[in-house]
Amino acid sequence: MANLMKWVNALSTRPSLETAIAEVVERLEQSLSMPADLGLVFISSAYASEYSRLMPLLQERLSVPVIIGCGGGGVIGMNAQGQPQEIEAEPALSISLASMPEVSVRAFHIPGSDLPDLDSSPSTWVDLIGVSPQDQPHFILLADPFSSKINDLLQGLDFAYPGSVKVGGLASASAMGVQSGLFYRDSERYSGGTLHREGTIGVALSGNVVLDPIVSQGCRPIGQPYQITKGERNIVLELADSNGMSFSEVESQPPLAVLRDVIQNLSESDRELAQHSLFIGIARDEFKQSLGQGDFLIRNLLGVDPRLGAIAIGDRVRPGQRIQFHLRDARTSEEDLELLLQNYQNQVNSTPETAGALMFSCLGRGQGLYGKPDFDSQLLCRYINNISVGGFFCNGEIGPVGGSTFLHGYTSVFGICRQP
């Protein structure tokens, strides 16, 4: 029993930062009797003017060797009644502490300017992180949305650490003009804590630990999959329904004509939804014959060119890829997350109890999407009993789809921590 992993979280909504820290630390000390190995701190951007005071104040109250955290436009944690709560655009402080026996915790801060070239060898990325791929680490990443070069970092980490899970999010604010806050403490390197305004901070967890990702993109496919027969950069110029024919045999159409046909065959309510909630799904498995919900990486539809019949999407494309149009609304988001949680529950029934969870949710979800608070976090706790949840509302969410790690939007990403 002494070697069991344990996570606890506490949330405060006190408007005074000192009072919020005191409340959170008192509850954490009551809940966790053993020393913590890792702390994760999420603080509302309502406290942005006091970001520089956070780590010194925590240093006085918490003795934890590694702490990472960031500011967010909303904060997620466990209230005094032990229920998950999502606080949006109001003062809130959420701290998770984890006691992880037989787990190595390696913290790092990487300025965007320090990233290797994408054609560098895997060893260059390993030197940057300081953890061997043989240790099979899993990563929690928190990044500034403007300076971190996060897509390059994710591509490099996937290259150097294939099979390792990477989850996290981009720091956010509830109002324009608020600077990002990234909080970092590694007592092996520096006795105090540091506030960073740029780059990426994170931890690599290796040893007796599993980090299970759940990525809920909240979309459902409409129409059928099509194959890109002509495209440049992020512009889709021609699509075809292959129907099992070879690539050279298919008859291509402008994607805008395809889209009009798809919309014409929708129900009236879905046609109305398509006016403002239409997305593109890019199939991640080139060889899977039957594609369904969850097989696509969801990207924004950025615009159309009526003259060419072309569409622009929020990702690079190439001929041969399969895409499908998708819709997103509250009901679809709920069904998507519930299906993922049901599948996860079935998968882990025979494994040890989960210890804790991190939730990285888009600023566009929450009350704005569902019309009521705490939806995603409460659904998680309905399927995974007695789990402690901490997290924040992000400017972009980090999580894997089809074996590769991506930056998402309008998504909730969960990292569920447990022992093997």
Side-chain angles (χ1 to χ4, degrees), residues 171-253:
S172 65
S174 57
M176 295 290 290
V178 176
Q179 266 192 300
S180 294
L182 302 173
F183 307 99
Y184 176 84
R185 178 188 178 192
D186 182 355
S187 60
E188 286 190 6
R189 302 184 186 183
Y190 175 60
S191 60
T194 308
L195 166 64
H196 293 284
R197 297 291 189 179
E198 50 81 37
T200 300
I201 59 169
V203 290
L205 306 176
S206 50
N208 192 38
V209 61
V210 175
L211 187 62
D212 293 324
I214 294 177
V215 180
S216 176
Q217 299 181 91
C219 281
R220 57 182 162 91
I222 55 173
Q224 64 184 53
Y226 291 88
Q227 191 175 53
I228 298 174
T229 52
K230 187 176 181 182
E232 297 176 5
R233 299 183 301 277
N234 70 322
I235 309 298
V236 182
L237 296 166
E238 293 183 1
L239 290 175
D241 173 15
S242 58
N243 282 327
M245 294 184 289
S246 68
F247 188 79
S248 59
E249 295 174 323
V250 298
E251 183 178 342
S252 297
Q253 301 179 67

Side-chain angles (χ1 to χ4, degrees), residues 7 58 78 166 230 252 272 296-297 309 322 324 362 386:
W7 286 55
L58 287 180
M78 309 298 288
K166 300 99 183 170
K230 187 176 181 182
S252 297
E272 184 177 336
F296 296 91
L297 175 66
R322 289 176 294 169
Q324 190 165 359
C362 178
N386 303 317

Side-chain angles (χ1 to χ4, degrees), residues 349-366:
N349 262 348
S350 59
T351 62
E353 200 171 290
T354 52
L358 296 171
M359 176 176 162
F360 306 100
S361 191
C362 178
L363 284 166
R365 289 175 74 105

Side-chain angles (χ1 to χ4, degrees), residues 387-403:
I387 194 166
S388 173
V389 185
F392 76 109
F393 285 89
C394 315
N395 217 354
E397 305 77 55
I398 298 166
V401 173

Side-chain angles (χ1 to χ4, degrees), residues 223-294:
Q224 64 184 53
Y226 291 88
Q227 191 175 53
I228 298 174
T229 52
K230 187 176 181 182
E232 297 176 5
R233 299 183 301 277
N234 70 322
I235 309 298
V236 182
L237 296 166
E238 293 183 1
L239 290 175
D241 173 15
S242 58
N243 282 327
M245 294 184 289
S246 68
F247 188 79
S248 59
E249 295 174 323
V250 298
E251 183 178 342
S252 297
Q253 301 179 67
L256 196 52
V258 173
L259 175 58
R260 285 173 179 147
D261 287 343
V262 169
I263 292 177
Q264 187 175 353
N265 291 314
L266 295 177
S267 66
E268 184 177 343
S269 59
D270 278 354
R271 281 199 296 271
E272 184 177 336
L273 190 61
Q275 299 302 312
H276 54 81
S277 297
L278 184 66
F279 296 83
I280 297 289
I282 303 173
R284 298 309 308 160
D285 188 339
E286 297 185 16
F287 304 103
K288 188 172 182 180
Q289 294 299 312
S290 180
L291 296 171
Q293 195 164 339

Side-chain angles (χ1 to χ4, degrees), residues 61-232:
R61 302 293 302 262
L62 273 181
S63 178
V64 182
V66 174
I67 296 176
I68 64 168
C70 70
V75 166
I76 302 156
M78 309 298 288
N79 62 24
Q81 290 73 45
Q83 299 298 316
Q85 195 169 359
E86 303 169 17
I87 307 297
E88 303 179 52
E90 295 178 13
L93 175 70
S94 169
I95 300 180
S96 293
L97 295 184
S99 174
M100 297 187 289
E102 303 171 15
V103 176
S104 170
V105 181
R106 169 74 174 187
F108 51 84
H109 170 242
I110 305 173
S113 57
D114 287 359
L115 292 185
D117 294 332
L118 288 178
D119 57 359
S120 300
S121 68
S123 62
T124 309
W125 294 91
V126 172
D127 291 342
L128 185 70
I129 300 298
V131 178
S132 169
Q134 281 70 42
D135 294 336
Q136 298 179 312
H138 299 303
F139 295 88
I140 301 167
L141 304 168
L142 306 172
D144 171 64
F146 306 109
S147 64
S148 58
K149 298 182 181 177
I150 189 63
N151 287 309
D152 288 354
L153 176 61
L154 296 179
Q155 190 173 335
L157 291 180
D158 277 354
F159 183 42
Y161 300 94
S164 292
V165 173
K166 300 99 183 170
V167 297
L170 304 187
S172 65
S174 57
M176 295 290 290
V178 176
Q179 266 192 300
S180 294
L182 302 173
F183 307 99
Y184 176 84
R185 178 188 178 192
D186 182 355
S187 60
E188 286 190 6
R189 302 184 186 183
Y190 175 60
S191 60
T194 308
L195 166 64
H196 293 284
R197 297 291 189 179
E198 50 81 37
T200 300
I201 59 169
V203 290
L205 306 176
S206 50
N208 192 38
V209 61
V210 175
L211 187 62
D212 293 324
I214 294 177
V215 180
S216 176
Q217 299 181 91
C219 281
R220 57 182 162 91
I222 55 173
Q224 64 184 53
Y226 291 88
Q227 191 175 53
I228 298 174
T229 52
K230 187 176 181 182
E232 297 176 5

